[in-house]
Amino acid sequence: MELYELSVADARQKLDKKEISSVELTKSVFERIDEAEPKLDAFITVCKESAFKDAELADKMIAEGKKAPLLGIPVSIKDLICTKGVKTTCASKILENFIPPYDATIVEALKKNGAVITGKVNMDEFAMGSSTENSAFKITKNPWDTKRIPGGSSGGSAVCVAADMSLVSFGSDTGGSIRQPASHCGVTGLKPSYGRVSRYGLVAFASSLDQIGPFTKTVEDAAMVMNTIGFFDPKDSTSFPSDTPDYTSFLEKGMKGVKVGIIKEYMDAKGIDPEISDSINKSVDVFKSLGAEIVEVSLPNTKYAVPAYYVIAPSEASSNLARYDGVRFGARVETPELIEMYKETRSKGFGAEVKRRIIIGTYALSAGYYDAYYGQAQKVRTLIADDFKKAFEKADILLSPVTPEPPFKLGEKIDDPLTMYLSDIFTISANLAGIPGISVPCGFTSNNLPIGLQLMAPSFEEGRLLKAGYNFQCETDFHKKRPVI
Amino acid sequence: MTISRDEVLYVAHLARLEIPPEEMEGLSSQIDDILSYVATLKEADTKNVDPTAQSISLVNRFREDIVGETLGSDKAVSNCQDNYDGMFVVPKVVKS
């Protein structure tokens, strides 16, 4: 077994027992990057030199007896989380040369706890997309089949972990951007509750929906990562001031008495791939065999989730992205007139999907249309959140597919944005309701493409997801399979 | 038809975007498709339903008015393509 194949938990043990050093682990990871990256294109910026400095520092901290879950562990970061002195492009031409003068709170926490930052990874431009094809710089490939999409928007993060090019990667999830690529690449992806992980230094897409979370090889690793990033941050006014649990304390065996809710509208959804339905049904059996009680729940307003999202997210985006006008940061097209400068800068700097969403958002917020679109979408958001509240009166966690289909072919949906939007049909509701969700591998199609299982819990009950996911992974080995690259 | 080409152009102008004529047709029809799709929201019964702006129960949070660490103007303008003496330089706004 190569060192780059280790989980965080296994690497942690070896590092703490001084069987390996962080420099050795980092070296192994970079050898893997050299081998796999030319085939997969997951990175925008590789930080080899600084990573070895991080690793040397980590080894020193370990020698001094410091303990931390990610101490000496190689991690990568989606290129929309600010890293001081390292380019943060959001996979957009408009930020191609943007070098943040400060670290995001989670990056600060990673550095303080001795993590090794391997680089910044690819994504859909400004996190708008479900395939990572909207990157202005490169097309990331799915390591299980390089003719297929890795999912998105955090495609680079999912590929990085699936192909062992980092032990952990940090992404963001606005409508499924962690869970969907995790599912498509056969890794574990956790979207924490809104307010659980600081968004300070996360470049904003849709501020009421965005949340940072980890991609890992196991649920156990996700719990260890949460112990480093899941805390209250006064710098983020939406960070929730709650007690921070020891997330690893939820990794207990036993599902007896736990009520697992199957969502009627998701299982009956049109267009769901039969191999996915089959894997989900088998996963239900796994929970049954562990002693969980299976109940059926209904989320009657599910059909309005995607439409509500595609009003709310573009509206917030149109406002957030107004700051890219060539004045304070980013590329500027020099013109003699100010308005012309704004227009030319933005038109040359943004890609097609970003422009589409800015126009839709601007329209939905404009005089005369606000009530019909944005106002109505916000009310529907209440209905969707209420559906979840009722469902959680009957069930402790909810279980569903992550995606209706396995990863599609590169280029297949790029000219049809609406069809692309529908690939987020099972993940979007959690963002609208602010609840946490996790994707864990639960099977493979006959073409050897990964299938993911989604679990959701009430806000700030990540513990229930970690417990259920951990129990599932103790009984199954889908998460242990790795693609041949 | 939910949105006309002229409306797309007008909204693009509000958002300070230029749409090249060759992209106009494709973009208009995609936006029209998306807006027609999201129009299904009108079918939802939202009588007496309050809007949700964000999903957690936080209200404005204040902190003590104490000066903390700041970036400083040199760093703050470091990503601006055109800066002078700690300031952002822009094309002339007021005409003489």
Side-chain angles (χ1 to χ4, degrees):
Chain A
M1 190 183 193
E2 301 289 342
L3 294 184
Y4 59 69
E5 293 174 83
L6 291 172
S7 64
V8 175
D10 291 342
R12 176 81 280 124
Q13 279 198 354
K14 288 184 190 297
L15 287 163
D16 287 343
K17 285 190 199 152
K18 308 207 175 49
E19 289 171 18
I20 61 168
S21 70
S22 173
V23 169
E24 284 165 348
L25 179 60
T26 303
K27 196 167 166 258
S28 172
V29 163
F30 275 99
E31 280 166 11
R32 179 62 169 174
I33 292 174
D34 288 343
E35 180 185 25
E37 175 62 7
K39 295 174 193 164
L40 301 174
D41 285 318
F43 282 85
I44 290 179
T45 305
V46 176
C47 302
K48 195 168 179 178
E49 209 175 302
S50 59
F52 279 100
K53 279 189 192 145
D54 293 346
E56 279 167 25
L57 185 68
D59 282 332
K60 220 191 247 170
M61 289 161 85
I62 293 168
E64 286 163 3
K66 169 142 176 117
K67 302 265 180 225
L70 298 181
L71 179 56
I73 302 289
V75 306
S76 65
I77 298 172
K78 186 177 182 181
D79 211 17
L80 82 173
I81 298 174
C82 284
T83 40
K84 191 176 177 174
V86 176
K87 266 198 309 182
T88 299
T89 68
C90 294
S92 180
K93 280 216 153 72
I94 212 159
L95 288 178
E96 193 167 6
N97 297 310
F98 174 61
I99 300 176
Y102 68 98
D103 277 325
T105 291
I106 76 140
V107 175
E108 213 173 77
L110 291 172
K111 288 181 176 172
K112 201 174 119 202
N113 286 286
V116 174
I117 296 171
T118 55
K120 306 293 295 287
V121 290
N122 201 22
M123 52 184 280
D124 285 298
E125 183 178 4
F126 283 103
M128 297 178 192
S130 309
S131 68
T132 311
E133 291 167 296
N134 292 331
S135 167
F137 304 124
K138 49 171 66 174
I139 302 283
T140 301
K141 288 95 185 170
N142 190 312
W144 294 91
D145 178 350
T146 52
K147 291 192 177 63
R148 290 178 189 271
I149 58 124
S153 67
S154 313
S157 290
V159 171
C160 211
V161 174
D164 293 312
M165 295 194 285
S166 292
L167 277 66
V168 177
S169 191
F170 293 91
S172 63
D173 189 316
T174 304
S177 284
I178 289 175
R179 290 159 288 157
Q180 185 254 25
S183 170
H184 282 343
C185 292
V187 297
T188 300
L190 173 66
K191 178 202 102 68
S193 313
Y194 184 79
R196 180 60 104 181
V197 176
S198 169
R199 293 184 300 113
Y200 180 76
L202 168 73
V203 177
F205 157 19
S207 306
S208 79
L209 305 164
D210 298 339
Q211 182 56 220
I212 291 176
F215 290 81
T216 52
K217 295 175 188 179
T218 66
V219 173
E220 183 182 14
D221 285 5
M224 292 175 73
V225 173
M226 285 302 289
N227 274 354
T228 301
I229 64 164
F231 57 84
F232 169 67
D233 177 20
K235 284 180 180 168
D236 171 2
S237 61
T238 59
S239 174
F240 199 73
S242 61
D243 290 338
T244 306
D246 171 3
Y247 295 91
T248 58
S249 69
F250 302 109
L251 305 173
E252 282 178 335
K253 279 205 180 178
M255 289 292 290
K256 216 165 186 166
V258 176
K259 287 185 185 147
V260 177
I262 312 295
I263 306 162
K264 187 181 169 301
E265 290 77 8
Y266 286 24
M267 296 309 279
D268 295 346
K270 260 190 265 167
I272 177 164
D273 187 279
E275 288 188 306
I276 292 182
S277 297
D278 188 46
S279 285
I280 298 302
N281 289 331
K282 283 179 181 151
S283 305
V284 172
D285 291 340
V286 171
F287 282 112
K288 249 188 229 165
S289 73
L290 287 166
E293 190 188 326
I294 310 297
V295 295
E296 189 181 84
V297 299
S298 172
L299 302 174
N301 291 291
T302 293
K303 62 182 171 191
Y304 299 124
V306 179
Y309 178 88
Y310 278 98
V311 171
I312 292 169
S315 296
E316 293 184 12
S318 71
S319 167
N320 275 326
L321 271 61
R323 72 191 63 170
Y324 304 105
D325 55 8
V327 174
R328 287 169 299 153
F329 32 63
R332 175 192 294 188
V333 178
E334 296 287 356
T335 62
E337 297 283 335
L338 189 66
I339 301 278
E340 235 175 71
M341 182 193 95
Y342 293 153
K343 278 192 173 178
E344 293 209 14
T345 296
R346 290 165 63 79
S347 302
K348 291 213 165 72
F350 291 137
E353 178 63 17
V354 173
K355 285 183 201 163
R356 244 183 328 257
R357 294 206 199 184
I358 290 174
I359 290 172
I360 288 167
T362 307
Y363 179 78
L365 293 176
S366 61
Y369 298 105
Y370 182 95
D371 289 338
Y373 287 97
Y374 192 67
Q376 178 70 352
Q378 283 194 312
K379 288 179 182 170
V380 168
R381 188 172 180 179
T382 306
L383 297 178
I384 289 167
D386 287 347
D387 281 355
F388 276 108
K389 271 182 209 142
K390 280 182 205 139
F392 285 125
E393 284 167 11
K394 282 176 77 180
D396 300 306
I397 54 168
L398 304 181
L399 180 156
S400 79
V402 182
T403 63
E405 291 175 313
F408 47 88
K409 291 218 166 102
L410 290 164
E412 193 179 316
K413 296 188 181 178
I414 195 73
D415 295 324
D416 188 357
L418 192 53
T419 314
M420 184 84 92
Y421 295 173
L422 293 171
S423 58
D424 295 334
I425 190 161
F426 299 136
T427 48
I428 269 173
S429 297
N431 299 77
L432 291 169
I435 62 173
I438 195 168
S439 170
V440 290
C442 73
F444 288 86
T445 66
S446 46
N447 290 336
N448 202 33
L449 296 169
I451 297 172
L453 166 74
Q454 175 172 240
L455 301 169
M456 294 181 278
S459 271
F460 302 103
E461 294 289 350
E462 283 83 0
R464 295 187 197 176
L465 303 181
L466 294 169
K467 180 179 169 162
Y470 173 73
N471 274 276
F472 186 77
Q473 292 189 338
C474 287
E475 291 300 306
T476 58
D477 61 0
F478 304 113
H479 61 291
K480 291 183 183 156
K481 288 197 184 160
R482 282 284 160 266
V484 179
I485 293 154
Chain B
M1 191 80 166
T2 313
I3 188 167
S4 68
R5 279 169 68 123
D6 284 350
E7 279 176 303
V8 171
L9 273 177
Y10 176 65
V11 173
H13 164 72
L14 290 178
R16 301 293 181 253
L17 289 170
E18 204 91 67
I19 310 296
E22 67 273 17
E23 286 177 24
M24 198 51 213
E25 190 157 341
L27 184 73
S28 288
S29 87
Q30 284 168 341
I31 288 179
D32 191 53
D33 283 352
I34 295 163
L35 288 174
S36 309
Y37 172 70
V38 301
T40 54
L41 284 176
K42 288 177 192 151
E43 294 161 18
D45 182 4
T46 53
K47 227 182 278 159
N48 304 322
V49 175
D50 289 329
T52 297
Q54 48 101 349
S55 52
I56 42 178
S57 52
L58 288 174
V59 288
N60 290 340
R61 185 194 299 145
F62 299 98
R63 63 169 174 81
E64 291 301 312
D65 188 15
I66 300 165
V67 178
E69 226 181 286
T70 57
L71 273 183
S73 55
D74 282 354
K75 277 189 189 163
V77 300
S78 62
N79 275 285
C80 171
Q81 205 163 298
D82 195 357
N83 61 69
Y84 172 77
D85 202 15
M87 291 178 280
F88 303 108
V89 178
V90 293
K92 202 170 185 181
V93 179
V94 183
K95 289 194 175 121
S96 51

